[in-house]
Amino acid sequence: NLVDAKNYFNKNVSCVVMIERIKEVVTKKNEVMAFMTASDEETSFDFVLFPKVYSSCDNLVKGAIIKVDGKIERRNDYQMIVSNIEGVN
């Protein structure tokens, strides 16, 4: 679960989460990426979707349940750099 995510720093993990918030950003190369906050049954966590991953996603809306694969990194706080997203519901 996401409460233990910081214990997996610099490792690849998978989790099932519900999207709480998505913020799209346009990069310097004029590509769209997103920052997402999502939660499991215990806590919220931040996710980064770079343009290649984000462009392959559709139906990412608040309340959607998704399976996320990625790597736990730490910038200011812990976050997951997403490598793959699959819809669950």
Side-chain angles (χ1 to χ4, degrees):
N1 62 21
L2 296 176
V3 172
D4 300 325
K6 64 184 176 196
N7 298 331
Y8 296 96
F9 175 69
N10 212 24
K11 293 191 169 62
N12 291 315
V13 296
S14 295
C15 55
V16 175
V17 296
M18 182 178 76
I19 299 173
E20 294 179 356
R21 182 180 67 85
I22 297 178
K23 179 182 178 187
E24 288 187 351
V25 178
V26 178
T27 67
K28 291 178 186 175
K29 294 182 180 179
N30 210 28
E31 297 174 305
V32 180
M33 63 174 285
F35 297 99
M36 178 175 76
T37 303
S39 61
D40 63 5
E41 62 278 353
E42 296 185 35
T43 191
S44 293
F45 204 75
D46 292 325
F47 299 81
V48 178
L49 293 83
F50 286 112
K52 184 177 177 184
V53 173
Y54 189 59
S55 66
S56 69
C57 302
D58 56 349
N59 294 332
L60 289 184
V61 294
K62 183 177 178 178
I65 308 275
I66 56 173
K67 177 180 177 267
V68 182
D69 302 314
K71 188 174 187 177
I72 303 296
E73 291 192 357
R74 186 173 182 183
R75 301 271 159 80
N76 296 329
D77 201 1
Y78 290 95
Q79 61 189 9
M80 180 187 289
I81 306 301
V82 178
S83 60
N84 187 51
I85 291 181
E86 298 172 29
V88 172
N89 58 349

